[in-house]
Amino acid sequence: MYTYTEEQIASMKKVEATRQERYENLFPRMSAEEKEAVLKENHPDYIESAYENLRVGPNKGDKVLHELAELLQGKSRVLDMNIDLNNPAYDVDVLVIGGGGAGASAAITAHKNGANVMMVTKLRIGDANTMMAEGGIQAADKENDSPAIHYLDAFGGGHFAAKPELLKKLVYEAPDAIKWLSDLGVMFDKDENGNMITTHGGGTSRKRMHACKDYSGAEIMRTLRDEVLNREIPIVDFTAAIEIVKDENGNAAGAVLLNMETGEVSVAKAKTVIIATGGAGRLHYQGFPTSNHYGATADGLVLAYRAGAKLLYADTLQYHPTGVAEPTQIFGALVTEKVRSLGAQLVNKEGKAFVYSLETRDVTASSIIRECRVRHNSIKTTDGEGVWLDTPMIELIGGPGTIEKRIPAMYRMFGKYGIDIRKEPILVYPTLHYQNGGIDIAANGEAGVKNLFVAGEAVGGIHGRNRLMGNSLLDIIVFGRNAGHFAAERAKEVTVGKLTLAHVDAFEKELEEAGIRPQKLSPQILPDYRRKDM
Ligand code: MEZ
């Protein structure tokens, strides 16, 4: 049970006192100039001291966060190993690395295309950020909407930086992605006439968020996992890919695998490889808590980088505006944007709204940081500070029962600590949520290295420099299927040459020449929560 402090109780009373007035007079949207200013002055992406320039590899000279630089320029785990590349334990057409929504979509599609496909995952299938996504998936499939309008929303929200060919694919294939998921068995929310219920997300000009209450990702992952299992696609679990293997022609041709339970190392040979390893929240960039799954440690970026693939926008991260700030047991966990879609407002310690609730995520997060750090209008919490998210407004707008019906997971998550979100507002602060950047791909999903494909959060450039809510669950499906299709097609024409890890030795030489003596092994595989003072 959580017991509020006296300061928190006093502030909560102010929130209650201003609720009706705030309900009647919504906080106005920001102008473009105001958005620009709040971002530059408050968004963590603008903190120069958090960054350094890479000294080796395809992005030499580009800035990335220190935590990522340490891994990209880290020590390969295979250097001290005796690896027999001539006797691979597995020999497949398509090797999928990663067990989340993108990996599963890729595997299903490659399998449907007739490929002999295998999934390898360092945890279990479904242990991924897909499972953690709550609020929904975007698709312009209603009469007042179109993929072109979806494109404009996402392009603007991403600061006009998205790669047009990728974003176009995302929005135009979105309606079919929803149909595909529905046909596989995803139970989307529907009204009494069987029509999909859709809502707004931050930065959307149409209601196009399809949801399964507030466990949309879990429902999508449940369905994809069932389909992988039904198809009897082999899954090698608790096994991390620790290096991409190439062939003598420089093409991707498999991976070195590390069994996490036994420590045994093996080789998977493949005609094509799909990296679908997800995000990086567990690196806790700039000390932020995270909404991400335990395995989100940027492994795919490291594997691809050492294999010679370029990264795009690796310097930009998404801090979801509403992570849990209190109670401490769930610090950093996701409070879905759907809570604001349904009407909850962001309110400071004086009970005043300070930002339009559905600005794009980077703007909203920056406004919360400003309210706390610059304007000193925050409420003290066990782990730092936060602002109120006035959840009782949802029932004021939607009527009694809306919270239990539309966001039951939120209701239960706080209920465990004695907090009734129908009656009391909750304390929130931005949490590290999404890697906007990642591996640069072409429209067929291929990274700069031949026969190496990438899908899901490990990709950079689909969303530009900020992503809208619900476009990630969408991209794992669209680009997962895309990579699965093209990897399976390519596999039909590939003959793999002699396997080699010469690129790893060459990268090591580059590090040496740059005077870098890496201490840290990479990929990281799991987060490190050991106490640093011991
Ligand atoms: O797209 C997301 O990140 C998402 C759906 C998150 C959420 O707030 O629920």
Side-chain angles (χ1 to χ4, degrees):
M1 285 295 149
Y2 178 68
T3 311
Y4 286 103
T5 64
E6 277 179 25
E7 187 196 325
Q8 290 172 345
I9 291 169
S11 174
M12 201 191 288
K13 286 198 174 129
K14 293 182 185 171
V15 177
E16 282 161 10
T18 58
R19 186 168 294 137
Q20 187 63 32
E21 199 260 319
R22 285 185 283 105
Y23 168 60
E24 284 161 19
N25 301 293
L26 279 190
F27 198 87
R29 286 166 193 254
M30 277 186 211
S31 67
E33 292 72 28
E34 284 169 325
K35 287 183 194 173
E36 204 55 28
V38 76
L39 283 173
K40 285 211 169 111
E41 285 156 24
N42 302 281
H43 196 279
D45 277 3
Y46 288 88
I47 298 177
E48 284 302 326
S49 59
Y51 288 87
E52 66 189 72
N53 293 327
L54 288 169
R55 289 158 63 195
V56 298
N59 287 76
K60 188 173 166 178
D62 290 356
K63 68 168 203 179
V64 295
L65 286 147
H66 298 307
E67 297 88 340
L68 183 60
E70 197 182 16
L71 293 176
L72 292 174
Q73 300 178 154
K75 185 173 175 197
S76 168
R77 291 175 179 271
V78 305
L79 288 176
D80 303 326
M81 291 176 175
N82 204 356
I83 294 165
D84 184 0
L85 293 169
N86 296 318
N87 289 300
Y90 310 96
D91 190 347
V92 295
D93 294 337
V94 179
L95 174 68
V96 178
I97 304 172
S105 301
I108 292 165
T109 310
H111 188 259
K112 203 167 160 211
N113 272 38
N116 164 15
V117 51
M118 180 175 100
M119 293 179 79
V120 55
T121 174
K122 65 184 175 183
L123 296 168
R124 300 160 305 177
I125 180 168
D127 287 338
N129 279 348
T130 301
M131 199 63 136
M132 318 289 280
E134 295 170 351
I137 170 168
Q138 286 202 44
D141 56 5
K142 294 231 158 141
E143 266 178 17
N144 69 340
D145 202 359
S146 72
I149 301 174
H150 188 176
Y151 184 101
L152 292 176
D153 286 349
F155 200 50
H159 301 281
F160 309 99
K163 280 177 88 166
E165 66 275 28
L166 301 187
L167 184 53
K168 187 173 169 198
K169 184 175 260 306
L170 182 80
V171 297
Y172 277 86
E173 295 183 16
D176 188 57
I178 297 289
K179 187 179 177 310
W180 187 67
L181 289 173
S182 273
D183 291 347
L184 284 178
V186 171
M187 311 264 282
F188 285 110
D189 296 342
K190 295 194 178 136
D191 65 17
E192 56 282 8
N193 300 317
N195 298 317
M196 294 266 190
I197 297 172
T198 51
T199 49
H200 274 298
T204 61
S205 62
R206 299 289 186 278
K207 290 184 178 176
R208 69 171 78 90
M209 201 72 56
H210 302 61
C212 314
K213 305 203 183 293
D214 55 348
Y215 38 79
S216 309
E219 169 62 2
I220 289 172
M221 194 67 239
R222 174 192 73 77
T223 310
L224 294 174
R225 178 171 48 198
D226 277 358
E227 184 64 14
V228 169
L229 298 178
N230 287 342
R231 286 177 176 271
E232 299 183 0
I233 294 170
I235 306 164
V236 182
D237 58 11
F238 294 112
T239 299
I242 54 171
E243 215 63 79
I244 297 295
V245 172
K246 287 188 171 182
D247 73 2
E248 60 201 325
N249 307 310
N251 304 333
V256 180
L257 309 180
L258 171 68
N259 184 311
M260 307 273 290
E261 288 173 315
T262 63
E264 196 186 333
V265 174
S266 60
V267 173
K269 179 177 173 185
K271 291 177 178 152
T272 57
V273 179
I274 301 175
I275 289 179
T277 48
R282 291 283 164 172
L283 299 184
H284 294 287
Y285 292 127
Q286 305 200 41
F288 271 84
T290 187
S291 58
N292 279 191
H293 196 272
Y294 190 62
T297 51
D299 297 357
L301 270 53
V302 174
L303 298 182
Y305 197 66
R306 271 210 282 264
K310 249 193 126 167
L311 306 180
L312 184 63
Y313 307 143
D315 59 322
T316 161
L317 279 297
Q318 179 163 88
Y319 302 83
H320 193 293
T322 55
V324 175
E326 195 84 278
T328 185
Q329 291 91 334
I330 47 172
F331 181 54
L334 182 63
V335 176
T336 174
E337 191 163 316
K338 189 171 176 186
V339 174
R340 281 173 286 134
S341 304
L342 295 175
Q345 261 182 7
L346 288 158
V347 179
N348 68 19
K349 78 166 177 202
E350 299 303 334
K352 296 213 166 87
F354 56 89
V355 63
Y356 172 70
S357 299
L358 288 177
E359 296 287 5
T360 52
R361 280 189 179 161
D362 51 355
V363 171
T364 311
S366 301
S367 302
I368 294 173
I369 293 171
R370 176 174 65 185
E371 203 61 21
C372 294
R373 306 244 167 113
V374 180
R375 296 179 174 168
H376 306 295
N377 277 329
S378 64
I379 301 95
K380 273 204 203 73
T381 61
T382 309
D383 300 283
E385 56 190 336
V387 294
W388 295 109
L389 182 57
D390 193 9
T391 45
M393 286 193 78
I394 295 174
E395 306 249 308
L396 202 60
I397 294 165
T402 308
I403 286 184
E404 272 180 278
K405 189 163 174 217
R406 305 287 300 275
I407 46 171
M410 293 295 100
Y411 176 66
R412 268 201 304 276
M413 180 166 78
F414 283 94
K416 279 184 189 158
Y417 301 95
I419 298 169
D420 185 344
I421 69 171
R422 297 170 306 177
K423 301 187 179 125
E424 300 156 285
I426 53 180
L427 286 161
V428 295
Y429 192 79
T431 185
L432 182 54
H433 183 61
Y434 188 76
Q435 165 177 274
N436 294 320
I439 304 158
D440 194 5
I441 59 165
N444 71 349
E446 200 166 13
V449 177
K450 199 162 175 214
N451 301 339
L452 181 64
F453 295 78
V454 190
E457 195 171 338
V459 173
I462 302 171
H463 311 282
R465 301 187 72 86
N466 175 58
R467 175 179 66 77
L468 300 189
M469 172 195 185
N471 274 350
S472 174
L473 279 179
L474 176 59
D475 98 40
I476 60 169
I477 305 300
V478 169
F479 285 91
R481 292 171 76 193
N482 188 57
H485 171 80
F486 285 107
E489 284 303 306
R490 177 70 58 75
K492 290 177 188 161
E493 62 197 45
V494 168
T495 308
V496 179
K498 196 170 160 23
L499 298 188
T500 170
L501 284 167
H503 58 288
V504 179
D505 295 329
F507 194 87
E508 180 65 12
K509 194 153 173 275
E510 237 193 290
L511 287 171
E512 225 174 274
E513 281 167 8
I516 301 172
R517 285 204 178 74
Q519 300 303 313
K520 193 153 186 164
L521 284 175
S522 71
Q524 181 161 321
I525 305 177
L526 293 176
D528 182 2
Y529 290 123
R530 282 172 303 181
R531 281 178 60 174
K532 303 289 181 286
D533 57 342
M534 289 179 79

